[in-house]
Amino acid sequence: RKRQRYVEKDGKCNVQHGNVRETYRYLTDIFTTLVDLKWRFSLLVFILAYAVTWLFFGLIWWFIAYCRGDLDHLEDHAWTPCVNNLNGFVSAFLFSIETETTIGYGHRVITDKCPEGIVLLLLQAILGSMVNAFMVGCMFVKISQPNKRAETLVFSSHAVVSLRDDRLCLMFRVGDLRDSHIVEASIRAKLIKSKQTQEGEFIPLDQTDLSVGFETGDDRLFLVSPLIISHEIDERSPFWDTSRQQLEKDDFEIVVILEGMVEAT
């Protein structure tokens, strides 16, 4: 029958956090928050980060020219402005973009008779480098997330319970489709099932480890070819007292977690 999954086949967790009051904690770790955003919001933040800084510094460049009186001496060749050929907010905005992106000034260039402009130039260069490092870092981490790499890790569609070496085992297969190996690959399994303690306490979605070879080291995989992962149903297994009929009726889920480092990256 159709059941609501705790973890989808693609690794997405069907858990929604509700009644979160201390939302400021997301802002204290702003880098991880931006990385966890959906792509459309990440691109929006990426565009706004640059557009806002360009507009902000463009407004300051225009304000300096306005306060110095450069805009009133546009045709006066004897006047030395703070920025040559800056005749309005649009040109100040373009100068801000050229400064922060180091495109090249051309005929619009700062002069040495404007100390406040030199200070602002240094501030914008430093802040622009920080914005570049932060936003490019966010985009790089987001692009290099292992979500897509996991698409070429294939698990068997069904798990089976069968005899193996005269022992009852729960088994499934896992394989890697790529030629680049996963280094230090390890696998573990969790049984997600609600339970009630002897004291009468109800624990929803309780997690119990399923042994897949931790004691013997079989959980460390050399994933060159498809492998069969086996959980022996012995006295320590949570399925030891479960019959076949009860297994079909029980509401539980087994989450298998494969971890490792990609050889290429």
Side-chain angles (χ1 to χ4, degrees):
R1 68 181 186 273
K2 184 67 175 178
R3 295 179 178 177
Q4 184 178 6
R5 297 182 61 90
Y6 184 70
V7 178
E8 295 289 350
K9 287 287 188 178
D10 58 357
K12 179 182 178 182
C13 296
N14 289 325
V15 177
Q16 294 183 354
H17 298 283
N19 196 24
V20 180
R21 299 179 180 179
E22 298 179 352
T23 55
Y24 67 90
R25 295 183 180 272
Y26 292 101
L27 297 178
T28 57
D29 188 14
I30 187 65
F31 186 84
T32 306
T33 301
L34 292 177
V35 171
D36 290 341
L37 288 177
K38 294 182 179 180
W39 266 109
R40 55 181 178 268
F41 297 116
S42 295
L43 293 176
L44 178 62
V45 173
F46 186 85
I47 295 172
L48 288 177
Y50 286 102
V52 169
T53 53
W54 293 340
L55 286 170
F56 175 73
F57 282 101
L59 182 62
I60 297 180
W61 283 115
W62 173 84
F63 183 73
I64 291 177
Y66 176 80
C67 293
R68 282 173 50 90
D70 295 344
L71 301 180
D72 299 328
H73 298 81
L74 296 178
E75 304 298 332
D76 187 359
H77 298 286
W79 180 266
T80 303
C82 183
V83 179
N84 289 329
N85 299 299
L86 194 152
N87 51 22
F89 177 74
V90 175
S91 59
F93 176 68
L94 293 176
F95 179 74
S96 176
I97 296 176
E98 293 167 356
T99 301
E100 191 165 328
T101 58
T102 64
I103 292 176
Y105 298 119
H107 69 288
R108 191 179 295 113
V109 60
I110 190 172
T111 63
D112 56 357
K113 303 298 183 181
C114 182
E116 60 271 24
I118 296 175
V119 173
L120 180 61
L121 180 67
L122 294 175
L123 290 177
Q124 186 171 5
I126 295 173
L127 182 62
S129 299
M130 295 174 62
V131 172
N132 285 331
F134 188 82
M135 297 312 302
V136 172
C138 285
M139 289 295 105
F140 176 77
V141 172
K142 194 169 183 64
I143 292 173
S144 61
Q145 282 182 326
N147 299 340
K148 298 303 179 183
R149 179 62 177 89
E151 295 292 335
T152 52
L153 286 171
V154 183
F155 289 83
S156 54
S157 300
H158 300 89
V160 297
V161 177
S162 178
L163 287 175
R164 197 181 204 194
D165 294 332
D166 202 28
R167 297 175 181 174
L168 204 60
C169 298
L170 170 69
M171 294 176 288
F172 58 90
R173 297 185 78 192
V174 59
D176 188 7
L177 301 181
R178 290 193 179 275
D179 294 332
S180 59
H181 303 316
I182 296 182
V183 185
E184 294 292 332
S186 62
I187 196 166
R188 52 196 175 101
K190 291 281 188 179
L191 174 66
I192 311 296
K193 182 181 180 181
S194 300
K195 76 171 187 179
Q196 190 169 6
T197 64
Q198 297 180 359
E199 294 78 15
E201 179 187 1
F202 179 75
I203 303 177
L205 302 177
D206 181 64
Q207 298 184 13
T208 305
D209 277 319
L210 294 180
S211 177
V212 287
F214 177 77
E215 297 85 357
T216 59
D218 291 338
D219 62 324
R220 314 289 291 185
L221 306 181
F222 183 49
L223 200 59
V224 178
S225 61
L227 299 175
I228 297 178
I229 311 300
S230 176
H231 163 68
E232 183 179 343
I233 303 178
D234 54 12
E235 294 84 353
R236 297 173 298 174
S237 173
F239 297 119
W240 176 249
D241 297 327
T242 305
S243 64
R244 177 176 179 176
Q245 293 75 16
Q246 185 180 358
L247 193 66
E248 296 176 351
K249 296 178 181 179
D250 279 352
D251 188 11
F252 66 91
E253 185 171 336
I254 299 176
V255 178
V256 179
I257 304 168
L258 177 64
E259 297 175 313
M261 294 179 291
V262 180
E263 182 183 47
T265 58

